[in-house]
Coordinates of all heavy atoms in Angstrom, one line a residue:
M7 N 27.9 133.0 241.0 CA 28.7 132.7 240.0 C 28.0 131.6 239.1 O 27.1 131.0 239.5 CB 30.0 132.1 240.5 CG 30.8 133.1 241.3 SD 32.5 132.8 241.2 CE 33.1 134.0 242.2
T8 N 28.6 131.5 237.9 CA 28.0 130.6 237.0 C 28.6 129.2 237.2 O 28.8 128.7 238.3 CB 28.2 131.1 235.5 OG1 29.6 131.2 235.3 CG2 27.5 132.4 235.3
D9 N 28.9 128.5 236.1 CA 29.4 127.2 236.1 C 30.8 127.2 236.9 O 31.7 127.9 236.5 CB 29.6 126.7 234.7 CG 30.1 125.2 234.6 OD1 30.5 124.7 235.7 OD2 30.1 124.7 233.5
P10 N 30.9 126.4 237.9 CA 32.1 126.4 238.7 C 33.4 125.9 238.0 O 34.5 126.2 238.4 CB 31.8 125.5 239.9 CG 30.6 124.7 239.6 CD 29.9 125.5 238.5
R11 N 33.2 125.3 236.8 CA 34.3 124.8 236.0 C 34.8 125.9 235.1 O 35.9 125.7 234.5 CB 33.9 123.6 235.2 CG 33.5 122.4 236.1 CD 32.9 121.3 235.3 NE 31.6 121.8 234.8 CZ 31.0 121.3 233.6 NH1 31.6 120.4 232.9 NH2 29.9 121.8 233.2
L12 N 34.1 127.0 234.9 CA 34.6 128.0 234.0 C 35.8 128.7 234.5 O 35.9 128.9 235.7 CB 33.4 129.0 233.7 CG 32.3 128.6 232.9 CD1 31.2 129.7 232.8 CD2 32.7 128.2 231.5
R13 N 36.7 129.1 233.6 CA 37.9 129.8 234.0 C 37.5 131.2 234.5 O 36.6 131.9 233.9 CB 38.8 130.0 232.8 CG 39.3 128.6 232.2 CD 40.4 128.0 233.0 NE 41.6 128.8 233.0 CZ 42.8 128.3 233.3 NH1 42.9 127.1 233.7 NH2 43.8 129.1 233.2
A14 N 38.1 131.7 235.5 CA 37.9 133.0 236.1 C 38.7 134.0 235.3 O 39.8 133.8 234.9 CB 38.3 133.0 237.6
S15 N 38.1 135.2 235.2 CA 38.8 136.3 234.5 C 39.4 137.2 235.6 O 39.1 137.1 236.8 CB 37.8 137.1 233.6 OG 36.9 137.8 234.5
D16 N 40.2 138.2 235.1 CA 40.8 139.2 236.1 C 39.6 140.0 236.7 O 39.7 140.3 237.9 CB 41.7 140.1 235.3 CG 43.0 139.4 235.0 OD1 43.4 138.4 235.6 OD2 43.8 139.9 234.1
A17 N 38.6 140.3 235.9 CA 37.5 141.0 236.5 C 36.8 140.2 237.5 O 36.3 140.8 238.5 CB 36.5 141.4 235.3
D18 N 36.6 138.9 237.4 CA 36.0 138.1 238.4 C 36.8 138.1 239.7 O 36.3 138.3 240.8 CB 35.9 136.6 237.9 CG 35.0 136.4 236.7 OD1 34.0 137.1 236.6 OD2 35.3 135.5 235.9
R19 N 38.2 138.1 239.5 CA 39.0 138.1 240.7 C 38.9 139.5 241.4 O 38.9 139.5 242.6 CB 40.5 137.8 240.3 CG 40.7 136.4 239.9 CD 42.2 136.2 239.5 NE 42.3 134.9 238.8 CZ 42.2 134.8 237.5 NH1 42.0 135.8 236.7 NH2 42.3 133.6 236.9
Q20 N 38.9 140.5 240.6 CA 38.8 141.9 241.2 C 37.5 142.0 242.0 O 37.4 142.6 243.1 CB 38.9 142.9 240.1 CG 40.3 143.1 239.6 CD 40.3 144.0 238.3 OE1 39.3 144.5 237.9 NE2 41.5 144.2 237.8
R21 N 36.4 141.5 241.5 CA 35.1 141.5 242.1 C 35.1 140.8 243.5 O 34.6 141.3 244.5 CB 34.0 140.9 241.2 CG 32.6 141.0 241.8 CD 31.6 140.4 241.0 NE 31.9 139.1 240.5 CZ 32.0 138.0 241.2 NH1 31.6 138.0 242.4 NH2 32.3 136.8 240.7
V22 N 35.8 139.6 243.5 CA 35.9 138.9 244.7 C 36.8 139.6 245.8 O 36.4 139.6 246.9 CB 36.4 137.4 244.5 CG1 36.7 136.7 245.8 CG2 35.4 136.7 243.6
V23 N 37.8 140.2 245.3 CA 38.7 141.0 246.2 C 37.9 142.1 246.8 O 38.0 142.4 248.0 CB 40.0 141.5 245.5 CG1 40.7 142.5 246.4 CG2 40.9 140.3 245.2
A24 N 37.1 142.8 246.0 CA 36.2 143.9 246.5 C 35.2 143.4 247.5 O 35.0 144.0 248.5 CB 35.5 144.6 245.3
D25 N 34.7 142.2 247.3 CA 33.8 141.6 248.3 C 34.5 141.3 249.6 O 34.0 141.6 250.7 CB 33.2 140.3 247.7 CG 32.1 140.5 246.6 OD1 31.7 141.6 246.5 OD2 31.8 139.5 246.0
L26 N 35.7 140.8 249.5 CA 36.5 140.5 250.7 C 36.8 141.8 251.4 O 36.8 141.8 252.6 CB 37.8 139.7 250.3 CG 37.6 138.3 249.8 CD1 38.9 137.7 249.3 CD2 36.9 137.4 250.8
E27 N 37.1 142.9 250.7 CA 37.4 144.2 251.3 C 36.2 144.6 252.1 O 36.3 145.1 253.3 CB 37.8 145.2 250.3 CG 39.1 145.0 249.7 CD 39.4 145.9 248.5 OE1 38.5 146.6 248.0 OE2 40.6 146.0 248.1
R28 N 35.0 144.5 251.5 CA 33.7 144.9 252.3 C 33.5 144.0 253.5 O 33.2 144.6 254.6 CB 32.5 144.8 251.3 CG 32.4 145.9 250.3 CD 31.1 145.9 249.6 NE 30.9 144.8 248.7 CZ 31.4 144.7 247.5 NH1 32.1 145.7 247.0 NH2 31.2 143.7 246.8
H29 N 33.8 142.7 253.4 CA 33.6 141.9 254.6 C 34.6 142.2 255.6 O 34.3 142.1 256.8 CB 33.7 140.4 254.1 CG 32.4 140.0 253.4 ND1 31.2 139.9 254.0 CD2 32.3 139.6 252.1 CE1 30.3 139.4 253.1 NE2 30.9 139.3 251.9
T30 N 35.8 142.5 255.2 CA 36.9 142.9 256.2 C 36.5 144.2 256.9 O 36.6 144.3 258.1 CB 38.2 143.0 255.5 OG1 38.6 141.8 254.9 CG2 39.3 143.4 256.5
A31 N 36.0 145.2 256.1 CA 35.6 146.4 256.7 C 34.4 146.2 257.7 O 34.3 146.9 258.7 CB 35.2 147.4 255.6
A32 N 33.6 145.2 257.4 CA 32.4 144.9 258.3 C 32.8 144.1 259.5 O 32.0 143.9 260.4 CB 31.3 144.2 257.5
G33 N 34.1 143.7 259.6 CA 34.6 143.0 260.7 C 34.4 141.5 260.7 O 34.6 140.8 261.6
R34 N 34.0 141.0 259.5 CA 33.8 139.5 259.4 C 35.2 138.8 259.1 O 35.2 137.6 259.4 CB 32.9 139.2 258.2 CG 31.5 139.7 258.4 CD 30.6 139.3 257.3 NE 29.3 139.9 257.5 CZ 28.9 141.0 256.9 NH1 29.7 141.6 256.0 NH2 27.8 141.6 257.1
L35 N 36.2 139.5 258.6 CA 37.5 138.9 258.4 C 38.5 139.7 259.1 O 38.5 140.9 259.1 CB 37.8 138.8 256.9 CG 36.9 138.0 256.0 CD1 37.2 138.3 254.5 CD2 37.0 136.5 256.3
S36 N 39.5 139.0 259.6 CA 40.7 139.7 260.2 C 41.6 140.1 259.0 O 41.4 139.6 257.9 CB 41.4 138.8 261.2 OG 42.1 137.7 260.5
L37 N 42.6 140.9 259.2 CA 43.5 141.3 258.2 C 44.3 140.1 257.7 O 44.6 140.0 256.5 CB 44.4 142.4 258.7 CG 43.8 143.8 258.9 CD1 44.8 144.8 259.4 CD2 43.1 144.3 257.6
D38 N 44.7 139.2 258.6 CA 45.4 138.0 258.2 C 44.5 137.1 257.3 O 45.0 136.6 256.3 CB 45.8 137.2 259.4 CG 46.9 137.8 260.2 OD1 47.7 138.6 259.6 OD2 47.1 137.5 261.4
E39 N 43.2 136.9 257.7 CA 42.3 136.1 256.8 C 42.2 136.8 255.5 O 42.1 136.1 254.4 CB 40.9 136.0 257.5 CG 40.9 135.1 258.7 CD 39.6 135.2 259.4 OE1 39.1 136.3 259.7 OE2 39.0 134.1 259.7
F40 N 42.0 138.1 255.5 CA 41.9 138.9 254.2 C 43.1 138.6 253.3 O 42.9 138.3 252.1 CB 41.7 140.4 254.5 CG 41.7 141.2 253.3 CD1 40.7 141.3 252.4 CD2 42.9 142.0 253.0 CE1 40.7 142.1 251.3 CE2 42.9 142.8 251.9 CZ 41.8 142.8 251.0
T41 N 44.3 138.8 253.9 CA 45.5 138.6 253.1 C 45.6 137.2 252.5 O 45.9 137.0 251.3 CB 46.7 138.9 254.0 OG1 46.6 140.2 254.5 CG2 48.0 138.7 253.2
T42 N 45.3 136.2 253.4 CA 45.3 134.8 252.9 C 44.3 134.6 251.8 O 44.7 133.9 250.8 CB 45.0 133.8 254.1 OG1 46.0 134.1 255.1 CG2 45.0 132.4 253.7
R43 N 43.1 135.1 251.9 CA 42.1 134.9 250.9 C 42.4 135.6 249.6 O 42.2 135.1 248.5 CB 40.7 135.3 251.4 CG 40.2 134.3 252.5 CD 38.8 134.7 252.9 NE 38.4 133.9 254.1 CZ 37.2 133.5 254.3 NH1 36.2 133.7 253.4 NH2 36.9 132.8 255.4
V44 N 43.0 136.8 249.7 CA 43.4 137.6 248.5 C 44.4 136.8 247.7 O 44.4 136.7 246.5 CB 43.8 139.0 248.8 CG1 44.4 139.7 247.6 CG2 42.6 139.8 249.3
D45 N 45.4 136.3 248.5 CA 46.5 135.5 247.8 C 45.8 134.3 247.0 O 46.2 134.0 245.9 CB 47.5 135.0 248.8 CG 48.4 136.1 249.4 OD1 48.4 137.1 248.7 OD2 49.0 135.8 250.4
A46 N 44.8 133.7 247.7 CA 44.1 132.5 247.0 C 43.3 133.0 245.9 O 43.2 132.3 244.8 CB 43.3 131.8 248.1
V47 N 42.7 134.2 246.0 CA 41.9 134.7 244.8 C 42.8 134.9 243.6 O 42.5 134.6 242.5 CB 41.2 136.0 245.2 CG1 40.7 136.8 244.0 CG2 40.1 135.8 246.2
L48 N 44.0 135.5 243.9 CA 44.9 135.8 242.8 C 45.4 134.5 242.1 O 45.8 134.5 240.9 CB 46.0 136.7 243.2 CG 45.6 138.1 243.8 CD1 46.8 138.8 244.3 CD2 44.8 138.8 242.7
A49 N 45.4 133.4 242.9 CA 45.9 132.1 242.3 C 44.7 131.3 241.8 O 45.0 130.3 241.1 CB 46.6 131.3 243.4
A50 N 43.5 131.7 242.0 CA 42.3 130.9 241.6 C 42.3 130.9 240.0 O 42.6 131.8 239.3 CB 41.0 131.6 242.1
R51 N 41.8 129.7 239.6 CA 41.7 129.5 238.1 C 40.3 129.4 237.6 O 40.0 129.7 236.5 CB 42.4 128.2 237.7 CG 43.9 128.3 237.9 CD 44.6 127.2 237.3 NE 46.0 127.4 237.4 CZ 46.9 126.5 237.0 NH1 46.5 125.4 236.5 NH2 48.2 126.8 237.1
T52 N 39.4 128.9 238.5 CA 38.0 128.7 238.1 C 37.0 129.5 239.0 O 37.4 130.0 240.1 CB 37.6 127.3 238.1 OG1 37.6 126.8 239.5 CG2 38.5 126.4 237.3
H53 N 35.8 129.6 238.5 CA 34.7 130.2 239.3 C 34.5 129.4 240.6 O 34.2 130.0 241.6 CB 33.4 130.3 238.5 CG 33.4 131.4 237.5 ND1 32.3 132.0 237.1 CD2 34.4 132.0 236.8 CE1 32.6 132.9 236.2 NE2 33.9 132.9 236.0
G54 N 34.7 128.1 240.5 CA 34.5 127.3 241.7 C 35.6 127.6 242.8 O 35.3 127.7 244.0
D55 N 36.8 127.8 242.3 CA 37.9 128.2 243.2 C 37.5 129.5 243.9 O 37.7 129.7 245.1 CB 39.2 128.4 242.5 CG 39.7 127.1 241.9 OD1 39.4 126.0 242.3 OD2 40.6 127.2 240.9
L56 N 37.0 130.5 243.2 CA 36.6 131.8 243.8 C 35.4 131.6 244.7 O 35.4 132.2 245.8 CB 36.3 132.8 242.7 CG 37.4 133.2 241.8 CD1 36.9 134.1 240.6 CD2 38.5 133.9 242.6
G57 N 34.5 130.8 244.3 CA 33.3 130.6 245.2 C 33.6 130.0 246.5 O 33.0 130.4 247.5
H58 N 34.6 129.1 246.6 CA 35.0 128.5 247.9 C 35.6 129.6 248.8 O 35.5 129.4 250.0 CB 36.0 127.4 247.7 CG 35.4 126.2 247.0 ND1 34.4 125.5 247.5 CD2 35.7 125.6 245.8 CE1 34.1 124.5 246.7 NE2 34.9 124.5 245.7
L59 N 36.2 130.6 248.3 CA 36.8 131.6 249.1 C 35.8 132.6 249.8 O 36.2 133.3 250.8 CB 37.8 132.4 248.3 CG 39.0 131.6 247.7 CD1 39.7 132.4 246.7 CD2 39.8 131.1 248.9
T60 N 34.6 132.6 249.3 CA 33.6 133.5 249.9 C 32.3 132.7 250.4 O 31.3 133.3 250.8 CB 33.1 134.5 248.9 OG1 32.6 133.9 247.8 CG2 34.3 135.5 248.6
S61 N 32.4 131.3 250.3 CA 31.2 130.6 250.6 C 30.7 130.7 252.1 O 29.6 130.5 252.4 CB 31.4 129.1 250.3 OG 32.5 128.5 251.0
D62 N 31.7 131.0 253.0 CA 31.3 131.1 254.4 C 30.9 132.5 254.8 O 30.6 132.8 256.0 CB 32.4 130.6 255.3 CG 33.7 131.5 255.1 OD1 33.9 132.1 254.1 OD2 34.5 131.6 256.1
L63 N 30.8 133.4 253.8 CA 30.5 134.8 254.1 C 29.1 135.1 253.6 O 28.7 134.6 252.5 CB 31.5 135.8 253.4 CG 32.9 135.6 253.9 CD1 33.8 136.4 253.0 CD2 33.1 136.1 255.3
P64 N 28.3 135.9 254.3 CA 26.9 136.2 253.8 C 27.0 137.0 252.5 O 27.9 137.8 252.3 CB 26.3 137.0 255.0 CG 27.5 137.6 255.7 CD 28.6 136.7 255.5
A65 N 25.9 136.8 251.7 CA 25.8 137.6 250.5 C 25.5 139.0 250.9 O 24.8 139.3 251.8 CB 24.7 137.0 249.6
E66 N 26.0 139.9 250.1 CA 25.8 141.3 250.4 C 24.3 141.6 250.0 O 23.8 141.2 249.0 CB 26.6 142.2 249.5 CG 28.1 142.1 249.8 CD 28.4 142.6 251.2 OE1 27.9 143.7 251.7 OE2 29.2 142.0 251.9
A67 N 23.6 142.3 250.9 CA 22.2 142.6 250.8 C 22.0 143.6 249.7 O 22.8 144.6 249.6 CB 21.6 143.1 252.1
Q68 N 21.0 143.4 248.9 CA 20.7 144.4 247.9 C 19.8 145.5 248.5 O 19.1 145.2 249.5 CB 19.9 143.7 246.7 CG 20.7 142.7 246.0 CD 21.9 143.2 245.3 OE1 21.8 144.3 244.7 NE2 23.0 142.5 245.3
P69 N 19.9 146.7 248.0 CA 19.0 147.7 248.6 C 17.6 147.3 248.6 O 17.1 146.8 247.6 CB 19.3 148.9 247.7 CG 20.5 148.7 247.0 CD 20.6 147.1 246.9
S70 N 16.8 147.6 249.6 CA 15.4 147.2 249.7 C 14.6 148.1 248.8 O 15.1 149.2 248.4 CB 14.9 147.2 251.1 OG 14.9 148.5 251.6
A71 N 13.4 147.7 248.5 CA 12.5 148.6 247.7 C 12.2 149.9 248.5 O 12.1 150.9 247.9 CB 11.2 147.8 247.5
D72 N 12.1 149.8 249.8 CA 11.9 151.0 250.6 C 13.0 152.0 250.5 O 12.8 153.2 250.4 CB 11.7 150.6 252.1 CG 10.4 149.9 252.4 OD1 9.5 150.0 251.5 OD2 10.3 149.2 253.4
A73 N 14.3 151.5 250.5 CA 15.4 152.3 250.4 C 15.4 153.0 249.0 O 15.7 154.2 248.9 CB 16.7 151.6 250.6
R74 N 15.1 152.3 248.0 CA 15.0 152.8 246.6 C 13.9 153.9 246.5 O 14.1 154.9 245.9 CB 14.8 151.7 245.6 CG 16.1 151.0 245.2 CD 15.9 150.0 244.2 NE 15.8 148.7 245.0 CZ 15.1 147.7 244.7 NH1 14.3 147.7 243.7 NH2 15.1 146.7 245.5
H75 N 12.8 153.6 247.1 CA 11.7 154.6 247.1 C 12.1 155.9 247.8 O 11.8 157.0 247.4 CB 10.4 154.0 247.7 CG 9.8 152.9 246.8 ND1 9.1 151.9 247.4 CD2 9.8 152.7 245.5 CE1 8.7 151.1 246.4 NE2 9.1 151.6 245.3
L76 N 12.8 155.7 248.9 CA 13.2 156.9 249.7 C 14.2 157.7 248.9 O 14.2 158.9 248.8 CB 13.9 156.4 251.0 CG 14.3 157.5 251.9 CD1 13.1 158.4 252.4 CD2 15.0 156.9 253.2
L77 N 15.1 157.0 248.2 CA 16.1 157.7 247.3 C 15.4 158.5 246.2 O 15.7 159.6 245.9 CB 17.1 156.7 246.8 CG 18.2 157.3 245.9 CD1 19.0 158.3 246.7 CD2 19.1 156.2 245.3
I78 N 14.4 157.9 245.6 CA 13.7 158.5 244.5 C 12.9 159.7 245.1 O 12.9 160.8 244.4 CB 12.7 157.5 243.8 CG1 13.5 156.5 243.0 CG2 11.7 158.2 242.9 CD1 12.7 155.3 242.6
A79 N 12.3 159.6 246.2 CA 11.6 160.7 246.8 C 12.5 161.8 247.1 O 12.2 163.0 246.9 CB 10.8 160.2 248.1
F80 N 13.7 161.5 247.7 CA 14.7 162.6 248.0 C 15.1 163.3 246.7 O 15.2 164.5 246.7 CB 15.9 161.9 248.7 CG 16.9 162.9 249.0 CD1 16.8 163.8 250.1 CD2 18.1 163.0 248.3 CE1 17.7 164.7 250.4 CE2 19.1 163.9 248.6 CZ 18.9 164.8 249.7
A81 N 15.4 162.5 245.6 CA 15.8 163.1 244.4 C 14.7 164.0 243.8 O 15.0 165.1 243.3 CB 16.1 162.0 243.3
L82 N 13.4 163.6 243.9 CA 12.4 164.5 243.4 C 12.2 165.7 244.2 O 12.0 166.8 243.7 CB 11.0 163.7 243.4 CG 10.9 162.6 242.3 CD1 9.6 161.8 242.6 CD2 10.9 163.3 241.0
A83 N 12.4 165.6 245.5 CA 12.3 166.8 246.4 C 13.4 167.7 246.1 O 13.2 169.0 246.0 CB 12.4 166.3 247.9
A84 N 14.6 167.2 245.8 CA 15.7 168.1 245.4 C 15.5 168.8 244.1 O 15.8 170.0 244.0 CB 17.0 167.3 245.3
V85 N 14.9 168.2 243.2 CA 14.5 168.8 241.9 C 13.5 169.9 242.1 O 13.6 171.0 241.6 CB 14.0 167.7 240.9 CG1 13.4 168.4 239.7 CG2 15.2 166.8 240.5
V86 N 12.5 169.6 242.9 CA 11.4 170.6 243.2 C 12.1 171.8 243.9 O 11.8 173.0 243.5 CB 10.3 170.0 244.1 CG1 9.4 171.1 244.6 CG2 9.5 169.0 243.3
V87 N 12.9 171.6 244.8 CA 13.6 172.8 245.5 C 14.4 173.6 244.5 O 14.4 174.8 244.5 CB 14.4 172.3 246.7 CG1 15.3 173.4 247.3 CG2 13.5 171.7 247.8
A88 N 15.1 172.9 243.7 CA 15.9 173.6 242.7 C 15.1 174.4 241.7 O 15.4 175.6 241.4 CB 16.8 172.6 241.9
L89 N 14.0 173.8 241.3 CA 13.0 174.6 240.4 C 12.4 175.8 241.1 O 12.3 176.8 240.5 CB 11.9 173.6 239.9 CG 12.4 172.6 238.8 CD1 11.2 171.6 238.5 CD2 12.8 173.3 237.6
L90 N 12.0 175.6 242.3 CA 11.5 176.7 243.1 C 12.5 177.8 243.2 O 12.2 179.0 243.1 CB 11.0 176.3 244.5 CG 9.7 175.5 244.5 CD1 9.4 175.0 245.9 CD2 8.6 176.3 244.0
A91 N 13.8 177.5 243.4 CA 14.9 178.5 243.6 C 15.0 179.2 242.2 O 15.2 180.5 242.2 CB 16.2 177.8 244.0
V92 N 14.9 178.5 241.1 CA 15.0 179.2 239.8 C 13.9 180.1 239.6 O 14.0 181.3 239.2 CB 15.1 178.1 238.7 CG1 15.0 178.8 237.3 CG2 16.4 177.4 238.8
I93 N 12.7 179.7 239.9 CA 11.4 180.5 239.7 C 11.5 181.7 240.6 O 11.2 182.8 240.1 CB 10.2 179.6 240.0 CG1 10.0 178.6 238.9 CG2 8.9 180.5 240.1 CD1 8.9 177.6 239.2
I94 N 11.9 181.6 241.8 CA 12.0 182.7 242.7 C 13.0 183.7 242.2 O 12.8 184.9 242.2 CB 12.3 182.3 244.1 CG1 11.0 181.6 244.7 CG2 12.7 183.4 245.0 CD1 11.3 180.9 246.0
S95 N 14.1 183.2 241.7 CA 15.2 184.2 241.3 C 14.8 184.9 240.0 O 15.2 186.0 239.8 CB 16.5 183.4 241.1 OG 16.4 182.5 240.0
V96 N 14.0 184.3 239.2 CA 13.5 184.9 237.9 C 12.5 186.0 238.2 O 12.5 187.1 237.6 CB 12.9 183.8 237.0 CG1 12.2 184.5 235.8 CG2 14.0 182.9 236.4
Y97 N 11.6 185.8 239.2 CA 10.6 186.7 239.4 C 11.0 187.8 240.4 O 10.2 188.7 240.8 CB 9.3 186.0 239.9 CG 8.6 185.3 238.8 CD1 8.6 184.0 238.7 CD2 8.0 186.1 237.8 CE1 8.0 183.3 237.7 CE2 7.3 185.4 236.8 CZ 7.4 184.0 236.7 OH 6.8 183.4 235.7
R98 N 12.2 187.9 240.9 CA 12.6 188.9 241.8 C 13.1 190.1 241.1 O 13.6 190.4 240.2 CB 13.7 188.4 242.8 CG 13.1 187.6 243.9 CD 14.1 187.4 245.0 NE 13.3 187.1 246.1 CZ 13.7 187.2 247.3 NH1 15.0 187.5 247.6 NH2 13.0 187.0 248.4

């Protein structure tokens, strides 16, 4: 988050609720903790208020470079297979 004194928008609150949902699904929060924090998110006025509600939770990991490379390789392989299927169907 940026300056903790800045007012939070509805989009900021929705993003924090989505983060809390992911942490609950991962087992880091109980349903009671989730409910309590969501109520606090909806009442939050500043970025600092929102930051305090997730400060004890780990940041979500970004996809690693290896995962991105694997995804690109898979996409290229799918394109090659599709092109081969088209070429084979044309020449039959």
Side-chain angles (χ1 to χ4, degrees):
M7 298 212 180
T8 58
D9 185 349
R11 297 171 294 153
L12 288 178
R13 299 282 291 199
S15 68
D16 288 338
D18 295 328
R19 289 181 194 89
Q20 290 171 355
R21 183 184 45 75
V22 173
V23 169
D25 287 345
L26 292 174
E27 288 172 348
R28 283 191 293 276
H29 287 293
T30 302
R34 292 185 190 99
L35 297 173
S36 69
L37 290 178
D38 288 337
E39 290 173 309
F40 172 75
T41 302
T42 301
R43 289 185 192 215
V44 168
D45 289 343
V47 166
L48 298 177
R51 291 189 176 177
T52 65
H53 283 209
D55 295 338
L56 293 175
H58 290 301
L59 296 169
T60 58
S61 63
D62 63 332
L63 300 169
E66 293 296 318
Q68 297 297 321
S70 68
D72 290 340
R74 278 181 260 145
H75 290 149
L76 184 60
L77 182 61
I78 291 169
F80 179 77
L82 287 173
V85 169
V86 168
V87 168
L89 286 173
L90 286 174
V92 169
I93 291 170
I94 290 171
S95 67
V96 167
Y97 287 108
R98 279 196 158 196

